[in-house]
Amino acid sequence: MTDQQAPVYETDQPVLYAVADGVARITLNRPAFGNAQNGQMTYAIDDAFRRAAADDAAGAIILAGAGKHFCGGHDIGTPGRDVTVSAPGERRFLWPDHAGKPGAEQAYAREQEIYLEMCRRWRSLPKPVVAAVQGACIAGGLMLAWVCDLIVASEDAFFSDPVLRMGVPGVEYFAHAFEMHPRVAREFLFLGDRMPAERAYQLGMVNRVVPREGLAAEVDMIAARLAALPRFGVALAKQAFNLTEDLGGKRGAMEAVFGLHHLAHAHNSLTVGHGNGGLDAKAMAAQARG
Ligand code: ZN
């Protein structure tokens, strides 16, 4: 792909990290771009989770987003979009660097590392993680919320995965049918509509819905309770849920669907010359308006 110029990062702190009262707070910090995830941010999230995992002062973790939105998805059009350049940090996956690779290899290697592998690693982190979701939680944003143990949303939050409009069968971390009843998940993906926080709560995808101004306090309160639990016990409890989900097929299904996801990217490249069906953020918004 040669569809972009060199990225221009608007910040060297795409993720903020702080520890207080036994809780690590990781904050997505590209508010001017709805906290869209570029590679720079994704590696910074990985760094922050590693730091929190190793930090004995942190018994629980909060994942939050600065500004109006939790996360508007993967970066498909800001000046900091960096899909064709080498990773900003040390690669975490032993495939060769994706940059400059031909054909399907580039996107496959990159997405394997920064989406599938990282999301799995974050989900396996042996400390409880609470997502604080306000505003938009779209596509790649879902991946961040879904790897957390608990999700608290504000009343203005909404969830959507509209990537089928790009000809792609859902985001790279295909947990849809595990996060929602499969019938609901089909509608969620096929129609790509926004699911309000209240509906997500009714379905059990979200644990609590609170007024926007009360979101931080609610999440702080829950995280403080989690941080006070016996450390090893809660790590084992978390593993118990992950194992149970994976024995129910979650991990294997996700691995298989990742191949379909890349068949779609390759098909789009062959037919319209662009892995995302030629759609950027503006075109996606126009499609959403119908
Ligand atoms: Zn993809």
Side-chain angles (χ1 to χ4, degrees), residues 111 115 168 172 261-262 265 276:
E111 296 197 349
Y115 298 151
V168 176
E172 292 80 5
H261 180 94
H262 278 275
H265 279 320
N276 287 339

Side-chain angles (χ1 to χ4, degrees), residues 26 28 37 42 45-46 49 61-64 70-71 74 113-133 137 139-152 159 171-176 178-179 205-207 226 238-239 241-242 245-246 250-251 254:
I26 297 170
L28 311 176
Q37 297 167 54
T42 313
I45 297 170
D46 198 51
F49 274 134
I61 300 163
I62 293 168
L63 180 64
F70 174 70
C71 178
H74 294 146
E113 178 181 24
I114 72 167
Y115 298 151
L116 191 61
E117 293 285 327
M118 283 196 195
C119 282
R120 283 175 175 170
R121 187 154 65 239
W122 302 337
R123 171 177 175 256
S124 300
L125 199 163
K127 293 180 180 177
V129 186
V130 186
V133 178
C137 180
L142 292 169
M143 296 166 54
L144 296 182
W146 284 347
V147 299
C148 296
D149 296 286
L150 303 178
I151 301 175
V152 180
F159 302 82
V171 286
E172 292 80 5
Y173 183 85
F174 194 82
H176 307 60
F178 291 86
E179 294 290 343
M205 194 178 89
V206 156
N207 295 91
L226 295 171
K238 177 164 180 168
Q239 268 200 305
F241 281 108
N242 285 347
E245 288 177 341
D246 290 346
K250 187 175 189 177
R251 187 182 173 92
M254 202 173 281

Side-chain angles (χ1 to χ4, degrees), residues 5-29:
Q5 306 191 327
V8 178
Y9 296 129
E10 79 286 358
T11 177
D12 57 7
Q13 283 197 299
V15 171
L16 305 177
Y17 181 89
V19 178
D21 303 324
V23 175
R25 177 177 280 269
I26 297 170
T27 307
L28 311 176
N29 189 39

Side-chain angles (χ1 to χ4, degrees), residues 239-272:
Q239 268 200 305
F241 281 108
N242 285 347
L243 282 167
T244 302
E245 288 177 341
D246 290 346
L247 288 169
K250 187 175 189 177
R251 187 182 173 92
M254 202 173 281
E255 186 81 38
V257 174
F258 188 76
L260 302 181
H261 180 94
H262 278 275
L263 175 60
H265 279 320
H267 177 75
N268 288 340
S269 293
L270 286 166
T271 52
V272 298

Side-chain angles (χ1 to χ4, degrees), residues 80-109:
R81 185 170 192 237
D82 55 5
V83 295
T84 60
V85 299
S86 293
E90 182 188 339
R91 281 177 302 107
R92 311 292 156 84
F93 178 61
L94 294 181
W95 274 43
D97 187 357
H98 73 281
K101 295 298 185 293
E105 186 179 357
Q106 177 172 278
Y108 190 80

